[in-house]
Amino acid sequence: QTVVTQEPSLTVSPGGTVTLTCASSTGAVTSGYYPNWFQQKPGQAPRALIYSTSNKHSWTPARFSGSLLGGKAALTLSGVQPEDEAEYYCLLYYGGALWVFGGGTKLTVL
Amino acid sequence: QVQLQESGPGLVKPSQTLSLTCTVSGGSISSGSYYWSWIRQPAGKGLEWIGRIYTSGSTNYNPSLKSRVTISVDTSKNQFSLKLSSVTAADTAVYYCAREVAPAMATNYFDYWGQGTLVTVSS
């Protein structure tokens, strides 16, 4: 069974920078896994932030960026704002038409 | 702007079939290169991709649910639907529908999501 792993929780100070990562049990994450990133706040639906590793949607704030880092997909928030406190999920695509979500990272801004 | 809205019973009895519909507005469900997906989230837990249907009607399902899932599309109503059979309490979750874009010369990605609907499995 394929497992996608994220940090369970991270804490960052307002104005700081934080990187969330997304690892695959099958090996290094590459662009071929089509990494997507989503933000979810309590009681709300997930909102798409990043797709295809590093592409932003029209509504994605500039402080969010995506990349590949050390064999993982990564989401970096620069200049963190209090409203960035949320759960963040990555999503990877596996051959055979299967999407697998990571377990999510709870980001606290403190 | 595309909007998706889930609808269906909020309570389903164990062993019965869960049925949900997602209505798409702001665009035709059958135009463009899109997959239409269902995703669920148990309370306090993470997201799970259930499956998807392409505009042509072809489907793909999560192997963990494949034996119990059927996704279909009704282009005349601009809707797609989810049926999950033989439900148990473990199927209690918020169910989301979402659009997956499948560009011809680029990688697939998700953009628009519905607000979600809570389905509780209980007698």
Side-chain angles (χ1 to χ4, degrees):
Chain A
Q1 180 176 342
T2 301
V3 177
V4 177
T5 302
Q6 300 180 242
E7 297 87 359
S9 63
L10 291 170
T11 300
V12 61
S13 298
T17 297
V18 65
T19 296
L20 291 63
T21 66
C22 176
S24 172
S25 62
T26 59
V29 176
T30 66
S31 59
Y33 286 82
Y34 308 172
N36 281 242
W37 289 92
F38 303 89
Q39 178 193 65
Q40 187 179 35
K41 296 183 178 180
Q44 296 184 15
R47 180 176 73 138
L49 289 176
I50 299 289
Y51 65 95
S52 302
T53 305
S54 58
N55 291 284
K56 299 179 186 181
H57 292 277
S58 59
W59 53 80
T60 304
R63 61 183 180 276
F64 290 86
S65 63
S67 64
L68 295 175
L69 194 63
K72 301 178 184 180
L75 175 70
T76 299
L77 288 70
S78 304
V80 172
Q81 302 296 308
E83 61 264 30
D84 296 333
E85 183 163 295
E87 192 88 19
Y88 291 84
Y89 292 94
C90 68
L91 176 64
L92 300 180
Y93 185 75
Y94 292 83
L98 174 64
W99 289 98
V100 181
F101 284 94
T105 295
K106 181 176 174 58
L107 182 66
T108 300
V109 181
L110 198 59
Chain B
Q1 179 178 329
V2 173
Q3 293 186 314
L4 293 84
Q5 179 67 57
E6 305 87 351
S7 60
L11 181 64
V12 180
K13 289 182 167 51
S15 80
Q16 293 191 341
T17 296
L18 177 161
S19 296
L20 295 174
T21 296
C22 182
T23 301
V24 179
S25 59
S28 171
I29 200 171
S30 58
S31 67
S33 298
Y34 302 117
Y35 287 92
W36 303 94
S37 281
W38 287 98
I39 294 149
R40 70 179 183 178
Q41 184 174 39
K45 297 188 178 181
L47 299 163
E48 179 180 34
W49 180 77
I50 298 171
R52 67 184 185 181
I53 188 164
Y54 193 55
T55 49
S56 65
S58 65
T59 54
N60 303 109
Y61 301 129
N62 189 322
S64 67
L65 297 167
K66 186 175 183 177
S67 63
R68 298 194 292 132
V69 174
T70 302
I71 297 176
S72 59
V73 64
D74 186 337
T75 55
S76 67
K77 296 182 179 179
N78 229 35
Q79 296 175 334
F80 64 106
S81 299
L82 169 70
K83 290 189 186 298
L84 182 65
S85 63
S86 305
V87 297
T88 69
D91 295 309
T92 294
V94 174
Y95 285 76
Y96 296 100
C97 56
R99 188 178 81 167
E100 177 188 344
V101 184
M105 299 297 289
T107 60
N108 293 18
Y109 62 91
F110 285 80
D111 54 6
Y112 297 107
W113 291 58
Q115 294 199 353
T117 187
L118 174 62
V119 179
T120 302
V121 179
S122 175
S123 55

